[in-house]
Amino acid sequence: MSANAAGDREALGAPDDTAALGAQLGRVPRGRPDVLVRCTLRLPVVVRMPPVLASGEPFPTRYWLTCPLLHRRIARLEGAGEVRRMEALLEADASLASAMRDAHTRYAAERDAHVDDGVAHPPAGGVAGIRLDEEGRAGLKCLHAHAADFLAGHENPVGERVASQTLPADCPLPCVHVGAAGAWVRNPEWREPSLAEP
């Protein structure tokens, strides 16, 4: 997937999406996710989740990253201290902090507009359920959720920074495929491409 994923944003309901997502995630996906962004190999990258699951459980994370390659790269960023660096940057830059507050507000409003009246336990918070404090500040809980929000086409300064450090994500081989038994599985021949590769 290129840095400009606009051409890959589409809500397609391919019959194999659920099985492909299950192979990517290593489990059956919760709820009924809609695929919003696909990679160049047409596999899911970002899904939109329902705000409340069939069980009635609130699900505050509206946009979910499913791409194993981006998941791996972002986990490395988190392990290298990128959450702390981004929190320090937000603390030091008032305009960036304001843009992040706007992202949280927009995210919550878009998600909450799809919650039916009378739901016992609606989701709360902004991106990934993060709540703003009394002064309008929010910590960063999950860079994956910010990246998913940005890749889904939204203004998110943290997600944009994460994307700039992890894209392109153009794999020469699919991360998941239909295996010999006819079920979707992780592809044993998949290897992580270098960020320097075209």
Side-chain angles (χ1 to χ4, degrees):
M1 182 176 56
S2 60
N4 179 2
D8 295 323
R9 288 188 201 110
E10 50 189 89
L12 295 176
D16 291 333
D17 279 348
T18 300
L21 288 167
Q24 285 181 323
L25 300 172
R27 58 177 170 73
V28 176
R30 302 178 76 191
R32 296 181 60 89
D34 295 320
V35 178
L36 294 185
V37 182
R38 295 179 185 274
C39 69
T40 56
L41 298 174
R42 308 301 301 145
L43 292 168
V45 172
V46 175
V47 296
R48 180 175 52 212
M49 297 297 296
V52 179
L53 301 178
S55 64
E57 178 185 353
F59 202 88
T61 304
R62 183 71 168 153
Y63 302 100
W64 195 270
L65 185 70
T66 66
C67 169
L69 173 58
L70 287 178
H71 193 276
R72 178 185 290 198
R73 288 178 176 172
I74 294 169
R76 279 196 210 109
L77 285 179
E78 289 180 339
E82 186 65 13
V83 171
R84 288 187 305 278
R85 284 191 290 274
M86 280 302 302
E87 286 177 334
L89 189 56
L90 290 169
E91 187 72 29
D93 187 330
S95 64
L96 191 65
S98 176
M100 197 61 245
R101 279 192 299 277
D102 290 347
H104 281 295
T105 301
R106 181 259 318 143
Y107 190 101
E110 189 273 333
R111 179 199 61 221
D112 296 350
H114 297 278
V115 177
D116 294 332
D117 291 337
V119 168
H121 303 289
V127 178
I130 297 170
R131 296 175 192 253
L132 302 178
D133 67 15
E134 300 79 24
E135 297 176 12
R137 294 176 303 196
L140 297 178
K141 186 164 75 171
C142 178
L143 297 183
H144 298 81
H146 288 281
D149 183 40
F150 174 74
L151 292 173
H154 303 115
E155 295 290 330
N156 184 315
V158 170
E160 184 175 8
R161 178 181 169 102
V162 171
S164 74
Q165 296 177 77
T166 56
L167 292 176
D170 297 329
C171 296
L173 295 172
C175 57
V176 296
H177 67 163
V178 178
W184 280 85
V185 295
R186 287 282 181 112
N187 183 355
E189 296 182 15
W190 179 86
R191 298 292 179 269
E192 179 176 352
S194 165
L195 276 169
E197 290 180 20

